[in-house]
Amino acid sequence: VAPQPSLAALRLAGLVGLAALGLAWLPTPPAEDKPHALRPSTHQTASALATFTLLPIAAGYLVNLRLPFFPPGGERLLLTVLPLLLLWLACGLDAGLQRTRTAALLLIPLLLAAAAGIATFYTLPRYVDHDYRPIVRYITQRGRDADTVIALFPWQVGYWRAYGVRLPNGAWLPPQPAPLDQDALVWSPALAATLDQALQRGTVWFPAPLSFGSTLPGEIETYLAQVARNAENHWFSPTTRLSAWVQQPAPLPATVEPITLGPVTLAASAIAPTTVAAANLPVAVDLTWQGDTRDLHVALRLVDASGHIWAHRDYEPLGSFAQPDRAGTIHERLALLVPAGLPPQPYTLALGVGPRGSDQLFPAAGGSDLTPLATLQITAPPAPLSSARLPAQTLLDPPRASAGLRLIGFDGIPPNSTWLAGTSLPLTLFVQNNLMPGDASQPLSRQLWLGLRDARDRTVTTWTGWPLPNYPVESWPAAALVQLPAALDLPATLETGDYYVEAAFVPSGDAAVGAPALLAPIRVERRAISHTRAVPQTVLDPPAQLGTHALLYGYTITRMADRLLVELDWEVIQTLWPPHNIFVHLVAPDGTLLAQDDGPPMTAAGAAPTGSWLPSEFLRTQHTLPLAGPLSSETTGLTLQVGLYAPATQVRLPVSVNGSPAGDAVLLPLPAPAN
């Protein structure tokens, strides 16, 4: 990178330019008057303007034929034509006014068009992919007062000044970037010292602008990777990557049994600290891998005893944060930020591995796709945090106060999203406690009320309760920030249409709900059902009953070279809540699991969750079991095990035949292949 000119040199060049411009405008001796000088005719003026306009356009067109190029935002290059356009307009008005004064009326549509253009300029979103507001909000919600934002250019600082959060005293909520000196736009020991000092204070956030052809962003990231742990690595646009870095001491190695996750083995892990406040503080994570680590992605999850995920981090490929180690072993050093709003309680930091580019995870021991690494004790922050630290994707403007609680925003329901009747709306509410110690103006105990309102302004379904039984409102500190995970079940009988999700806080035992906060508009679609009984390849007589909800009366199997296609025929007795998954396992005579397909029910028409099943309905679910190789015609004694289970608890529904218990799985013999 060539050295940048100093500010003093730029000022000197500007003064020289201004002096030269002043000399050019010095008065010159007047020329002799030419009383017979002729004013150019309108025809001559039009010819000159046409020449000045068409020649550059033609030249640009010919160049573009040979070297086609139109950069992002290239429409701004058309501003060079604006002076010529204004001259054309002026000539037209001048010619019109020479004929009649009514030509001045032409100014009215021109002024109206100009006003519309200005209004559009200030209201129409442009360059949405390069919007900096999501970056500013992301760092604000996950940052701390001691953190540092590295800004290479003054325009980045300007974005923070425009979109940052203002405190009541008028100051900006940290972290706020300071522009680097022009001399720092090249890598130097001074810049390295600046980064070291920032890491000692807290997290370093670096929104790297990668579209300027400079090597400096890469040099900064390379240095940070050597001296710190990566806590965030997130692309916000094709030209901007946000990374976060922390300096955490290496945790003591933990002695664990090697854990096989698909093609890779987790040989060791270490986590520290194990007690951390819910205040965007980092947790150091060391992972040691062995095996085939290619084309894999890693998922870190912070879960509670019920399995709810409170924080997560996904990255790919596995080995992205690896340090040099002995042959055949990959040692990764990274960090996980513990967000604001987590209730103080123990959590489990768990890990999963899956194919790159997929959300699926390889099953670990016990059938779960997550492997526990450590238990973390999350505590309340030592001092109240700004409500801007809550990681809400959708913010209420203004926040809604209700029963002493302040609803800041929510997550989980994209506006105008489509949901299927018979499913649950998972959402997280972000709340701040407005009550002060000793404040008796509001009742202590609270409940959360969720409702769904239809287009006729009728409430069609509600839920009332408290999602955190171990963390009631009366135990919250003053100004505490809390995340409230909840769910609203959409009945299977809901009609297709548009609805609105609402929320409110009410005193416990009070059935009256005031004006609730409107969260998001959604659309609900009802699944088409059939009352026609399909004819399966193999009929179960008598059928198997699962719980008190459905009868499995037949199945059809299609053998393929690399997979087994299974269709199950069901008759519904009653709707099954919460929604259950179907498991289909291919088992050898010795009990070895050869193939499996576990997941929510799917039909040829699409998803069919058990919460959408209606009494007297018939449906056929489809399942694909991948095989390691084709099944030999001599292979006998294979069995399909089929059943329903709750994904959150892995508990299966009991099976009965003619009223007699038959375990927790229906056993279906695999028919011999047809000759």
Side-chain angles (χ1 to χ4, degrees):
V1 179
Q4 300 291 328
S6 65
L7 291 178
L10 290 175
R11 294 192 188 98
L12 179 60
L15 291 175
V16 172
L18 288 175
L21 185 61
L23 291 174
W25 280 92
L26 287 177
T28 57
E32 295 183 5
D33 291 337
K34 296 182 179 180
H36 302 291
L38 298 177
R39 176 184 177 181
S41 67
T42 302
H43 175 73
Q44 291 173 323
T45 302
S47 299
L49 283 176
T51 302
F52 296 150
T53 305
L54 295 178
L55 278 179
I57 293 177
Y61 175 75
L62 294 175
V63 170
N64 214 46
L65 286 179
R66 180 67 180 86
L67 301 170
F69 174 71
F70 194 82
E75 64 272 12
R76 290 174 292 183
L77 300 176
L78 298 177
L79 289 175
T80 58
V81 185
L82 181 60
L84 296 172
L85 176 61
L86 295 177
L87 287 174
W88 277 107
L89 291 175
C91 289
L93 287 173
D94 181 61
L97 290 174
Q98 290 183 28
R99 294 179 175 85
T100 173
R101 293 297 178 184
T102 58
L105 297 176
L106 293 174
L107 287 173
I108 296 177
L110 292 176
L111 292 175
L112 291 176
I118 293 174
T120 302
F121 178 82
Y122 283 104
T123 57
L124 182 67
R126 296 177 302 280
Y127 315 123
V128 177
D129 290 339
H130 301 279
D131 190 356
Y132 233 69
R133 285 173 293 183
I135 297 179
V136 175
R137 188 170 71 174
Y138 192 90
I139 296 177
T140 300
Q141 292 178 340
R142 291 158 179 81
R144 293 174 288 155
D145 291 355
D147 291 355
T148 302
V149 178
I150 301 298
L152 299 184
F153 299 100
W155 55 264
Q156 293 177 295
V157 181
Y159 279 132
W160 251 268
R161 296 293 186 266
Y163 303 134
V165 176
R166 288 272 193 170
L167 296 173
N169 61 4
W172 282 283
L173 177 69
Q176 288 289 325
L180 296 176
D181 188 80
Q182 292 294 318
D183 293 335
L185 291 181
V186 293
W187 181 254
S188 66
L191 181 53
T194 299
L195 296 175
D196 291 338
Q197 295 170 5
L199 287 170
Q200 292 175 5
R201 293 191 298 267
T203 303
V204 171
W205 298 87
F206 181 41
L210 304 177
S211 61
F212 295 95
S214 171
T215 61
L216 182 58
E219 291 170 324
I220 291 176
E221 291 179 336
T222 299
Y223 179 77
L224 289 171
Q226 294 172 354
V227 300
R229 296 173 178 270
N230 182 273
E232 292 279 355
N233 193 51
H234 187 55
W235 285 91
F236 276 85
S237 75
T239 59
T240 304
R241 178 178 61 233
L242 175 65
S243 59
W245 306 86
V246 298
Q247 271 190 341
Q248 286 283 97
L252 296 176
T255 302
V256 297
E257 292 292 331
I259 302 171
T260 300
L261 301 169
V264 72
T265 298
L266 179 64
S269 65
I271 313 295
T274 55
T275 300
V276 61
N280 294 330
L281 291 170
V283 174
V285 179
D286 282 3
L287 304 172
T288 301
W289 305 96
Q290 293 176 342
D292 186 359
T293 60
R294 296 171 298 175
D295 297 326
L296 299 176
H297 90 264
V298 180
L300 287 173
R301 302 286 186 265
L302 191 64
V303 299
D304 61 12
S306 68
H308 178 74
I309 299 174
W310 291 84
H312 65 90
R313 184 179 182 191
D314 293 67
Y315 67 91
E316 58 183 32
L318 188 152
S320 298
F321 311 108
Q323 298 294 322
D325 209 330
R326 56 187 179 274
T329 299
I330 291 180
H331 181 70
E332 288 193 295
R333 299 170 59 249
L334 59 148
L336 174 72
L337 297 179
V338 177
L342 269 61
Q345 63 182 14
Y347 295 81
T348 298
L349 181 61
L351 175 141
V353 175
R356 185 174 183 177
S358 171
D359 293 333
Q360 294 184 346
L361 300 176
F362 299 123
S368 174
D369 54 6
L370 291 176
T371 298
L373 298 181
T375 298
L376 301 183
Q377 179 63 48
I378 305 300
T379 62
L385 302 177
S386 167
S387 61
R389 300 300 187 199
L390 286 171
Q393 288 190 357
T394 303
L395 299 174
L396 297 183
D397 188 16
R400 187 66 178 269
S402 174
L405 300 178
R406 189 163 169 256
L407 181 57
I408 305 298
F410 64 94
D411 194 1
I413 308 178
N416 301 309
S417 54
T418 300
W419 298 81
L420 189 65
T423 58
S424 293
L425 283 178
L427 71 158
T428 300
L429 301 180
F430 297 87
V431 183
Q432 184 178 38
N433 184 17
N434 271 359
L435 294 181
M436 301 301 293
D439 186 355
S441 62
Q442 297 286 348
L444 288 177
S445 183
R446 303 285 191 284
Q447 284 188 316
L448 172 63
W449 179 91
L450 298 175
L452 191 69
R453 189 177 298 274
D454 65 9
R456 299 180 183 178
D457 204 30
R458 300 175 304 179
T459 301
V460 294
T461 185
T462 64
W463 177 87
T464 303
W466 189 248
L468 300 176
N470 297 325
Y471 196 43
V473 177
E474 50 266 34
S475 66
W476 292 9
L481 303 180
V482 180
Q483 299 185 28
L484 289 178
L488 179 64
D489 294 336
L490 303 179
T493 54
L494 278 181
E495 297 295 335
T496 298
D498 297 326
Y499 296 83
Y500 225 107
V501 183
E502 303 174 309
F505 296 103
V506 296
S508 296
D510 191 348
V513 177
L518 301 179
L519 299 186
I522 65 169
R523 180 166 182 81
V524 176
E525 293 186 352
R526 186 171 176 178
R527 182 176 57 84
I529 64 174
S530 172
H531 293 287
T532 302
R533 185 185 183 97
V535 180
Q537 180 187 71
T538 303
V539 177
L540 297 181
D541 188 17
Q545 180 171 322
L546 287 86
T548 59
H549 299 84
L551 296 172
L552 179 63
Y553 68 87
Y555 62 101
T556 301
I557 294 178
T558 303
R559 293 173 180 256
M560 309 289 287
D562 58 347
R563 60 191 182 275
L564 206 63
L565 304 181
V566 180
E567 294 179 322
L568 303 175
D569 290 285
W570 305 84
E571 180 181 355
V572 179
I573 301 174
Q574 62 176 334
T575 304
L576 176 55
W577 280 100
H580 278 49
N581 288 353
I582 299 176
F583 67 88
V584 182
H585 295 173
L586 179 63
V587 181
D590 61 358
T592 303
L593 180 63
L594 302 178
Q596 69 183 98
D597 180 77
D598 298 0
M602 296 290 295
T603 67
T610 62
S612 70
W613 293 8
L614 292 174
S616 303
E617 175 189 2
F618 294 95
L619 72 159
R620 171 173 286 179
T621 59
Q622 299 179 333
H623 311 269
T624 301
L625 281 69
L627 301 174
L631 296 176
S632 171
S633 58
E634 287 80 18
T635 303
T636 59
L638 299 183
T639 303
L640 287 175
Q641 296 181 357
V642 175
L644 289 163
Y645 69 97
T649 61
Q650 301 293 309
V651 175
R652 298 179 176 183
L653 285 186
V655 176
S656 61
V657 178
N658 279 338
S660 299
D664 58 9
V666 184
L667 305 182
L668 306 177
L670 189 68
N675 294 328

